[in-house]
Amino acid sequence: MALDLSGKKYAQVSYEEKERLFNEVKADLRYEEYLYGCYECGICVAACPSARFYDFSPRKIAQAVAREDIDLVYTLMNDSIWDCSQCFSCDRCPRKNSPGGIITIMREVAVKNGLASAQAALEGYGRVVYKIMSTGTQVSPDMLQPSAFPDWGPHVKEISNNLDVWRRALPPETLHTTETGWQVDDKTLIELYLIWHMTGVMDMIKEVDEGLFMILQDVMEERLEEAGYDVSFE
């Protein structure tokens, strides 16, 4: 579907609300490091894998943010930033911009404010977030089984049936399995739980998926209590 940049789609959202969200983006400490200006050379687009498959342009995002086009930034925050693969191939910008970094901030603001687009984008990743945050480690390719991800569609079965073929096409650093990449000791896990508590990560989870938050809350609070910490995520 073509990206609607007319501004009409979100005309019902007040300018003040759009400006408030944009000010949150600009207030991030990383903002000035990620944005210097735009030559409109298009190098970021040429390097972007997502631009090959979607109506997506890291250049449009960098330009809209640099020009402080409040309405356009709001549209892109809802309908475009979720197409970014966060590979940071765009970081070859001659002006030292990092569109991927800007998008990271925009995503975090979208999640913190519980935007519907953030909830929709993350809906299919509840099980992944649960696995990563409850166990402190990754979801490895050999975990892609239809029984584990029934809401990901029929292609999961195809992937699991042909996993050896798929993995030959993946870079070496992604070849971990549950046997090689699943060793997280109790001390590290407790430290991760405390970091997610202190940095507000759990607050972000609560904004986009309260059910997932409650499950993680039970897991983490129980483990923290066993480790001698009196911590509540409420």
Side-chain angles (χ1 to χ4, degrees):
M1 181 180 295
L3 185 61
D4 181 2
L5 300 179
S6 68
K8 297 179 181 177
K9 184 174 180 180
Y10 297 106
Q12 80 285 1
V13 180
S14 70
Y15 185 85
E16 288 74 19
E17 173 63 6
K18 296 174 183 175
E19 186 177 40
R20 182 185 70 79
L21 294 173
F22 183 52
N23 286 337
E24 278 195 33
V25 174
K26 290 199 300 180
D28 191 283
L29 293 175
R30 298 163 292 181
Y31 181 81
E32 292 189 4
E33 179 184 346
Y34 289 157
L35 184 66
Y36 296 96
C38 179
Y39 288 136
E40 302 190 18
C41 64
I43 286 178
C44 59
V45 180
C48 174
S50 295
R52 301 172 196 167
F53 300 100
Y54 303 104
D55 185 4
F56 173 78
S57 168
R59 178 173 59 86
K60 285 180 182 174
I61 293 172
Q63 288 176 336
V65 173
R67 293 170 181 166
E68 302 196 356
D69 187 331
I70 303 295
D71 287 311
L72 182 54
V73 168
Y74 186 83
T75 297
L76 295 170
M77 185 182 290
N78 279 276
D79 295 342
S80 186
I81 59 173
W82 307 104
D83 290 333
C84 172
S85 60
Q86 292 280 275
C87 65
F88 292 89
S89 298
C90 53
D91 274 7
R92 62 193 66 193
C93 170
R95 288 292 301 272
K96 307 300 182 185
N97 292 317
S98 175
I102 297 168
I103 290 168
T104 299
I105 299 173
M106 293 170 73
R107 283 181 169 184
E108 290 177 4
V109 170
V111 171
K112 286 177 183 175
N113 286 273
L115 296 190
S117 60
Q119 294 173 345
L122 299 176
E123 186 177 3
Y125 294 92
R127 286 181 175 82
V128 175
V129 174
Y130 170 75
K131 287 289 186 186
I132 292 173
M133 294 191 66
S134 63
T135 62
T137 186
Q138 63 185 299
V139 173
S140 56
D142 57 335
M143 293 177 65
L144 287 174
Q145 303 295 329
S147 58
F149 298 97
D151 52 338
W152 280 22
H155 69 287
V156 175
K157 183 177 181 181
E158 180 187 344
I159 291 173
S160 65
N161 289 340
N162 299 284
L163 194 58
D164 289 343
V165 176
W166 282 96
R167 297 188 69 182
R168 287 185 210 130
L170 297 174
E173 60 268 24
T174 65
L175 292 180
H176 292 308
T177 67
T178 50
E179 292 183 0
T180 61
W182 267 66
Q183 300 301 320
V184 178
D185 59 55
D186 288 344
K187 181 175 181 293
T188 301
L189 190 58
I190 293 301
E191 288 177 349
L192 285 170
Y193 287 178
L194 291 172
I195 289 170
W196 288 327
H197 175 264
M198 297 173 68
T199 57
V201 171
M202 286 294 285
D203 294 333
M204 295 173 67
I205 297 292
K206 190 175 184 179
E207 287 293 336
V208 294
D209 192 333
E210 189 166 3
L212 175 60
F213 166 81
M214 293 174 69
I215 295 172
L216 286 170
Q217 180 186 28
D218 288 343
V219 172
M220 292 183 183
E221 288 184 351
E222 183 176 345
R223 290 295 298 272
L224 287 169
E225 184 178 353
E226 290 173 356
Y229 292 93
D230 183 16
V231 173
S232 172
F233 288 90
E234 288 291 351

